[in-house]
Amino acid sequence: MAEQSHNTSDEQILNLPKVLFHGGPGFSSILQPPYSHNFHLLNTSSLPLHQFFATHTHHCSSVAGAGNLFSGDVADMAVALLIDVMMKISVADRCVRKRVPLASWDSLHASKLTGKKVGIVGLGKIGLEVAQRLEVFGCIISYNCRNKKTLVSYPFYSNVVELAANSNVLILCCALNDQTRHIINREVMLALGKGGVIVNVGRGDLIDEKELLQCLMEGEIGGAGLDVFENEPNVSQEFFLLDNVVLSPHLGFSTLESYMGICQLVGRNLEAFFSNKPLITPVL
């Protein structure tokens, strides 16, 4: 009897709508308890996203995104990286752990954040949240974007070089496309200047990474905070030797709250799709 019940359960699972996940394995494990009765959750796909779409195009009748769910977390990461670079928190932490004598800390002079001129490349939802956070620190905000935003009063620069020349800090929040690939090149870095800091929470290819390394090592800019890299997950080992760089392995959205939130959003979108209702956060 128990065996028959088990077989019936397996048959019911096989008859449920099948859902293949592309993302971290944790997503499916969190979705299992509340949604296992509604969907047959398959193993996570390990293909890179562009390959996944290339091989599953015929299955993609609808696509849902995360909406603005991660914007606040990514903005928090941008500000955290900036504070770490300028206040040299990670460097000081390493000195304490290595028991470096206090007399040797002369090179650890930090730079205050208050009053700094911050240029934001990409004033979308994330960029706006970064700006709002930094205004609290008394920072002076300006930006570069495809089009001037009529609802904000921040100075607009149509040219990234001009933005850099009028900033102490550049924070990258824009999307990656043919126009923005290597938008931060050597010319931009030299315009930013020797004390300048670059923070990237957008995409790794927004920066010419070889030129960034060169400028950091030559002292042409002051520092960098990077949550994304050109060849993720492989990070250039030259960065590891630099004390004026803070590195993070693309964790801008990886808070527990957002992790739970995206799983709930995925579940709601699945319920809507299989009920022939509009998606909650449609992309396609």
Side-chain angles (χ1 to χ4, degrees):
M1 185 66 111
E3 183 179 352
Q4 182 180 358
S5 175
H6 177 73
N7 291 337
T8 302
S9 177
D10 287 345
E11 290 174 6
Q12 290 174 341
I13 291 173
L14 291 174
N15 289 328
L16 292 173
K18 296 177 177 61
V19 177
L20 175 67
F21 281 91
H22 184 281
F27 285 115
S28 57
S29 64
I30 292 177
L31 277 166
Q32 282 284 359
Y35 294 104
S36 59
H37 297 297
N38 300 328
F39 311 112
H40 183 192
L41 305 178
L42 303 177
N43 292 332
T44 303
S45 168
S46 60
L47 285 174
L49 187 58
H50 67 282
Q51 292 183 20
F52 178 81
F53 275 121
T55 55
H56 292 77
T57 304
H58 57 292
H59 294 307
C60 295
S61 58
S62 298
V63 178
N68 293 319
L69 186 64
F70 300 139
S71 300
D73 289 342
V74 177
D76 287 347
M77 174 61 83
V79 175
L81 286 170
L82 176 58
I83 292 173
D84 195 334
V85 173
M86 299 193 72
M87 299 300 295
K88 300 184 183 295
I89 296 170
S90 291
V91 180
D93 176 84
R94 289 194 290 272
C95 287
V96 171
R97 293 173 188 270
K98 293 177 181 178
R99 302 185 183 279
V100 175
L102 190 61
S104 304
W105 288 25
D106 291 343
S107 62
L108 288 182
H109 293 309
S111 178
K112 68 189 299 181
L113 178 58
T114 304
K116 289 294 186 291
K117 295 181 289 184
V118 178
I120 298 176
V121 182
L123 202 69
K125 178 65 175 173
I126 294 172
L128 281 170
E129 295 220 16
V130 170
Q132 291 164 3
R133 284 157 173 73
L134 290 176
E135 280 189 299
V136 177
F137 287 91
C139 293
I140 302 162
I141 308 297
S142 56
Y143 72 101
N144 165 268
C145 218
R146 282 181 300 177
N147 301 298
K148 185 175 182 179
K149 304 284 185 179
T150 58
L151 299 179
V152 300
S153 59
Y154 309 132
F156 168 72
Y157 291 88
S158 59
N159 184 292
V160 179
V161 176
E162 292 180 8
L163 178 70
N166 289 277
S167 301
N168 307 118
V169 175
L170 287 181
I171 299 181
L172 312 184
C173 305
C174 62
L176 176 64
N177 52 47
D178 291 340
Q179 288 71 45
T180 60
R181 185 179 184 277
H182 286 187
I183 192 172
I184 306 302
N185 53 27
R186 186 174 182 84
E187 182 183 9
V188 173
M189 296 177 210
L190 293 179
L192 182 62
K194 293 186 180 297
V197 172
I198 295 174
V199 173
N200 190 4
V201 292
R203 288 292 183 267
D205 283 353
L206 296 174
I207 299 178
D208 186 332
E209 208 165 88
K210 289 183 179 178
E211 291 294 348
L212 175 62
L213 276 164
Q214 202 69 28
C215 286
L216 287 165
M217 291 187 289
E218 294 172 355
E220 295 294 348
I221 63 172
L226 307 173
D227 186 46
V228 288
F229 306 89
E230 269 200 280
N231 298 307
E232 288 183 23
N234 302 310
V235 179
S236 173
Q237 294 189 17
E238 293 172 278
F239 281 125
F240 303 163
L241 305 175
L242 301 175
D243 278 339
N244 55 348
V245 179
V246 177
L247 309 173
S248 171
H250 207 152
L251 291 178
F253 66 92
S254 297
T255 63
L256 178 60
E257 293 85 352
S258 282
Y259 209 70
M260 296 299 294
I262 191 62
C263 288
Q264 293 170 6
L265 184 59
V266 167
R268 292 170 60 204
N269 273 304
L270 288 172
E271 287 181 332
F273 175 78
F274 287 112
S275 299
N276 293 317
K277 296 178 180 178
L279 297 177
I280 309 299
T281 50
V283 173
L284 178 67

